[in-house]
Amino acid sequence: MRRIPIRKVDIAADATFTLEAYADTIVPGEKRWPGDRAIAGVSTGGGAVSCGALDLLRWDATGIHDGLEDLASQVNEHARAFAEKAGLTLDETVPPFVSLDYDDRVRLIEELTTPGHPEKDFWVLLSLFCNMAYDSAAHLHTDEALEEGHAGLTAMGITAPDADGLWRFQDFGYGRQLADLHPDTTPSGSPA
Amino acid sequence: MSDTIERTDVLVIGSGFGGAIAAYHLAAGGAKVTVLERGPWLKNDEFEHDYQLGSSYTRIFDFVVGDGMSVLGGNCVGGGSVVYFAAMPRAPKFVFDRHGSIGRRMWPKSVSRETLDPWYDRIEESLSVSKQEWNDASYAGGLWGAACDHAGRTANPLAAAIDNSKCVNCNFMMAGCRFEAKQSLTVNYLPGALAHGAEIRPLHEVQYLERTPEGDYRVHYNIVDDEDYRLQSGSGVIEAKIVVMAAGAAATPVILQRSEAHLGTMPHAVGRYFSGNGERLNTAILNEDKVAEILGLSRGDGQLPYGANAIGKGPTVASWDKLDGSLPEYSRYSLEQLYFPPGLGTILAQAPDASGPTWFGKEKKEILKNWKSWLTIFCMTEDDNEGVFGPPPATGNAHRISQQLLGRGNLSYKPTDNTWHGWNQADADVKEILEKDGLAKVMPWTNDLVGAYTVHPLASCRMGDDPNTSALDDTNELRGHSGIFVTDGSAVPGALTVNPAMTIAALAERAVPHIVAAAQAKGIAVTYGAPAPTGYKSGRNAVLPLLRKKQLADA
């Protein structure tokens, strides 16, 4: 039973919008509504955002919760510099990173996470949690996430647990010898 | 606060293989033993099947990101034995003759496979390690065996510390085994130690050691919150005549580094020569049609012939064809089928043939849809002991970022050409085996994000005969600091080419009579000779004559 209540920080709309675009670049999904600007819409099915990336990022358990607005403003600064260098015109009605198309968002994240980049640690950490929202629903109990049709766990084919919330597999192997043993194997099964 | 300083005979730092084994024998021999463990103490029903932050999956292990190397290790009572996959092979003979980066034998001359075998026997008896049969192999292990066979190779079910009659093949063993199938130390050595009066204190994180005027040791610790490890609530000290350090290869050297200001100069090798056991992971994405057609495998009932990534019990089958002592160093390795759960590793898998980025983006998302058809192959090669720990952080062994699990450490690891030679050969071998006839597409994990990645840190405080390149003598005692012994993975001199738990445990067993002798010399009433924690005596009966011959009482 958890003793510490779950605390989720609130962040401004523009920061949310920017971080959604970042999360969608890590694990892309489909647009939530026509004209959804954060989601690039380069993939079908749910991506990191619909899997709850912002919920996970805002949770104080991650340790990056307090830095989210800074990360959003920094990635927007990088996006502005990126656009200037590439001669792109940004749409001023949305944050700069959101204004970039998917391929440019990818290029920028590749730059930021390149070994040697002074801010690499931050961007890798942000990417890691965005990915975790999709591949392990780290902000939700796994059995409940599956029950609610979590897009990432479902796409990955993770099966439902038994009624008590535990996984058991009665059939687990092919049950027959499939290769010859190495000739130098000891009787207790170690390399000689 | 009371002025009375707490005292114990033997203080053990860490409750994994190195700590639990020493604690058991010393307590059974009559010493007052106190164990400080920085992680929580979870009961069986607290081991959850859940990836949520805050579940046992994140409470009981630690992921520390360094510069060029990240380390995943245990963080709970029972240490690595609670989170490990229970593969328990002995290290092959040639390992003990390795030269590594120093150009001469790195192991003490008194330690070889032959001299370690009686200690390996003790562990097999204590942890019920058994040779697994093909019937015990998971789908993933079976598939790896069949692919090896198809490529003209051999493959072996692994020796393991698992009671198959209790195993449900849930593959959640990394979050702790709630079925007591996995023979963690929490079901043998630690209950044995408790029965003999040892005291285990969880959430006590040791910061540094100093000497008392009497020549004993005063150990300073902080108390860590049991849910949010970023929070600390107080500190304390305890004095002991003998200290057994077993905080793990990513923490023991950090504690010693931090102690240097109080204890005096540490041996040069403290915090140097770190080895990641040469570990590297490859992800194969299987072509299920080819699995059926070429390997003739089927799961029946309309199931995909493999499609079983989540079913099993960690590694069950390994290829030992390259564990050939006649091959040159850095080209010997084992290739082991492994299950790696989502959350921390999935991001490091790369999409084969991607036109864009490989570790994120739309093509990466596509391979995640085939996650059930992933086969992870774990390469354990010979690295070059190139890891070095920088200045210690303020507390613990890392700057904690997340409530649990994640921290930033000061380990720096720049792989040498030798290490890359081993990694590249192993990668190429996995590709050759699994891409044969289109069975799979294979890509290694990327090192670009969190560096290389090891689950088996070793050698950061290693034993050896040469004082310039080893921190411990061949009895595991810290050079220049009598009464401090190191018995965890940091004592292992170098990469083992196989899973190291068996060797760490055997070396800890081997160190115990020396620790007992040192304790006796300091006036502690303690004897050596306890049976296995299960009560079996044949392992003990085999090692006692060796000790008499070596006259350990005079050590």
Side-chain angles (χ1 to χ4, degrees):
Chain A
M1 189 60 72
R2 289 190 56 80
R3 185 174 53 77
I4 301 176
I6 288 181
R7 186 174 77 89
K8 289 188 176 163
V9 298
D10 291 323
I11 55 173
D14 265 14
T16 301
F17 209 16
T18 304
L19 294 172
E20 283 178 345
Y22 191 98
D24 182 65
T25 316
I26 299 302
V27 187
E30 61 195 18
K31 287 185 182 292
R32 295 165 289 184
W33 56 82
D36 183 356
R37 294 289 299 272
I39 308 293
V42 297
S43 175
T44 54
V49 175
S50 76
C51 285
L54 267 289
D55 271 348
L56 177 58
L57 294 173
R58 289 171 43 232
W59 185 9
D60 67 347
T62 62
I64 64 168
H65 57 291
D66 281 334
L68 291 176
E69 294 204 328
D70 285 344
L71 284 170
S73 82
Q74 261 174 287
V75 82
N76 279 324
E77 282 306 309
H78 286 299
R80 196 168 281 124
F82 179 92
E84 198 175 328
K85 201 169 157 193
L88 301 170
T89 307
L90 292 171
D91 175 354
E92 295 297 330
T93 64
V94 291
F97 188 78
V98 178
S99 173
L100 296 180
D101 66 21
Y102 173 77
D103 288 336
D104 286 331
R105 293 176 186 181
V106 163
R107 281 184 205 109
L108 179 52
I109 292 179
E110 281 185 311
E111 271 177 30
L112 298 176
T113 53
T114 299
H117 191 283
E119 297 166 15
K120 171 179 172 264
D121 275 8
F122 301 121
W123 305 116
V124 167
L125 205 53
L126 184 61
S127 306
L128 182 67
F129 282 115
C130 291
N131 193 71
M132 282 170 87
Y134 184 87
D135 83 345
S136 52
H139 53 305
L140 300 168
H141 288 299
T142 308
D143 56 346
E144 291 172 9
L146 278 166
E147 212 171 285
E148 288 161 18
H150 183 274
L153 299 183
T154 305
M156 288 164 67
I158 294 178
T159 54
D162 292 346
D164 60 358
L166 302 174
W167 276 261
R168 294 174 186 81
F169 296 99
Q170 204 168 3
D171 298 321
F172 63 89
Y174 299 105
R176 60 187 167 95
Q177 180 167 348
L178 290 160
D180 293 329
L181 295 190
H182 193 277
D184 296 326
T185 302
T186 68
S188 64
S190 278
Chain B
M1 186 179 155
S2 162
D3 289 338
T4 311
I5 288 185
E6 210 179 348
R7 289 193 172 81
T8 188
D9 289 338
V10 179
L11 185 84
V12 179
I13 303 171
S15 60
F17 284 103
I21 290 171
Y24 165 70
H25 284 290
L26 285 152
K32 178 176 163 56
V33 174
T34 307
V35 181
L36 302 185
E37 163 58 50
R38 72 169 177 174
W41 194 345
L42 270 64
K43 298 186 182 69
N44 263 8
D45 61 0
E46 293 178 283
F47 295 135
E48 295 157 296
H49 290 186
D50 198 343
Y51 299 130
Q52 190 185 41
L53 300 184
S55 67
S56 64
Y57 178 65
T58 61
R59 287 178 75 194
I60 66 177
F61 68 87
D62 245 6
F63 181 60
V64 176
V65 179
D67 175 14
M69 173 65 79
S70 293
V71 179
L72 188 64
N75 180 60
C76 57
V77 170
S81 79
V82 179
V83 300
Y84 84 145
F85 283 121
M88 292 292 268
R90 301 180 187 210
K93 275 195 189 78
F94 66 82
V95 157
F96 300 92
D97 296 320
R98 286 197 58 202
H99 284 200
S101 58
I102 58 173
R104 59 185 177 281
R105 196 174 190 271
M106 61 164 92
W107 282 78
K109 64 178 180 303
S110 58
V111 186
S112 64
R113 171 63 184 269
E114 191 189 13
T115 60
L116 204 54
D117 268 334
W119 305 102
Y120 278 135
D121 289 343
R122 290 214 71 169
I123 298 300
E124 283 188 358
E125 186 175 69
S126 300
L127 296 184
S128 307
V129 176
S130 58
K131 177 173 181 281
Q132 303 288 294
E133 303 298 334
W134 283 100
N135 278 338
D136 305 316
S138 63
Y139 287 117
L143 186 126
W144 175 234
C148 287
D149 184 65
H150 179 66
R153 314 290 187 96
T154 68
N156 284 52
L158 280 161
I162 296 177
D163 178 347
N164 287 312
S165 69
K166 293 181 178 172
C167 180
V168 302
N169 292 283
C170 66
N171 242 339
F172 262 97
M173 64 202 291
M174 208 167 145
C177 176
R178 70 187 282 143
F179 303 102
E180 283 195 10
K182 182 163 75 172
Q183 300 301 292
S184 299
L185 301 170
T186 47
V187 299
N188 39 67
Y189 281 96
L190 289 172
L194 289 170
H196 287 287
E199 193 192 344
I200 302 172
R201 299 182 189 175
L203 302 163
H204 282 55
E205 187 171 56
V206 169
Q207 303 303 318
Y208 67 95
L209 283 61
E210 63 181 344
R211 277 231 183 229
T212 67
E214 296 77 32
D216 296 336
Y217 291 98
R218 185 176 296 140
V219 177
H220 295 251
Y221 58 82
N222 289 351
I223 309 280
V224 179
D225 183 86
D226 69 349
E227 274 190 34
D228 190 338
Y229 304 157
R230 294 169 296 202
L231 307 175
Q232 297 180 345
S233 56
S235 57
V237 295
I238 182 166
E239 289 182 0
K241 291 183 182 300
I242 297 283
V243 175
V244 177
M245 299 208 57
T252 286
V254 180
I255 295 169
L256 289 175
Q257 284 176 323
R258 201 183 282 120
S259 304
E260 191 159 28
H262 310 276
L263 292 178
T265 309
M266 284 293 139
H268 176 76
V270 168
R272 291 188 174 82
Y273 303 109
F274 173 93
S275 161
N277 201 35
E279 294 179 356
R280 184 139 170 91
L281 286 125
N282 277 260
T283 302
I285 297 156
L286 295 157
N287 178 326
E288 296 280 358
D289 292 339
K290 299 279 186 185
V291 169
E293 177 197 333
I294 294 170
L295 301 181
L297 295 179
S298 162
R299 284 174 57 199
D301 295 337
Q303 300 266 15
L304 293 171
Y306 167 60
N309 194 28
I311 303 174
K313 46 194 162 199
T316 58
V317 172
S319 158
W320 293 338
D321 290 332
K322 300 296 167 138
L323 296 185
D324 176 352
S326 68
L327 293 170
E329 201 166 352
Y330 305 107
S331 58
R332 303 170 296 198
Y333 48 83
S334 64
L335 303 175
E336 191 169 290
Q337 160 267 322
L338 178 69
Y339 170 71
F340 210 94
L344 278 180
T346 314
I347 194 169
L348 303 178
Q350 304 190 82
D353 306 327
S355 55
T358 54
W359 62 268
F360 71 96
K362 57 188 175 189
E363 288 160 296
K364 174 66 180 286
K365 185 187 174 192
E366 285 307 303
I367 68 164
L368 284 167
K369 289 181 186 164
N370 295 115
W371 179 78
K372 282 172 86 167
S373 297
W374 287 17
L375 180 70
T376 309
I377 302 299
F378 188 35
C379 312
M380 285 171 274
T381 71
E382 295 167 297
D383 72 356
D384 225 358
N385 289 75
E386 52 267 75
V388 178
F389 284 86
T395 61
N397 72 317
H399 168 67
R400 279 199 183 279
I401 296 169
S402 298
Q403 163 190 299
Q404 298 139 11
L405 193 72
L406 198 61
R408 185 72 164 85
N410 284 349
L411 173 62
S412 159
Y413 189 90
K414 309 284 178 231
T416 66
D417 289 345
N418 284 335
T419 297
W420 271 111
H421 179 77
W423 282 347
N424 289 337
Q425 283 208 351
D427 287 350
D429 219 10
V430 176
K431 208 172 177 66
E432 186 182 316
I433 294 168
L434 283 170
E435 291 196 346
K436 186 175 165 67
D437 299 323
L439 265 179
K441 286 276 187 184
V442 187
M443 285 281 278
W445 278 16
T446 176
N447 279 5
D448 286 352
L449 299 188
V450 292
Y453 194 117
T454 186
V455 294
H456 296 137
L458 299 172
S460 53
C461 196
R462 66 186 185 179
M463 61 196 308
D465 290 330
D466 171 13
N468 296 315
T469 57
S470 61
L472 314 175
D473 64 19
D474 74 339
T475 73
N476 292 66
E477 193 167 27
L478 183 66
R479 293 179 185 283
H481 301 272
S482 70
I484 298 179
F485 290 82
V486 177
T487 54
D488 58 19
S490 52
V492 176
L496 297 172
T497 68
V498 293
N499 318 63
M502 186 66 167
T503 301
I504 294 169
L507 286 172
E509 279 280 359
R510 180 186 172 278
V512 168
H514 299 288
I515 301 171
V516 167
Q520 288 169 342
K522 286 203 162 199
I524 300 172
V526 59
T527 56
Y528 177 75
T534 44
Y536 294 120
K537 294 178 180 173
S538 61
R540 178 190 66 173
N541 294 344
V543 299
L544 284 177
L546 302 175
L547 302 179
R548 277 198 289 276
K549 208 165 24 184
K550 292 179 75 175
Q551 295 183 315
L552 265 157
D554 299 332

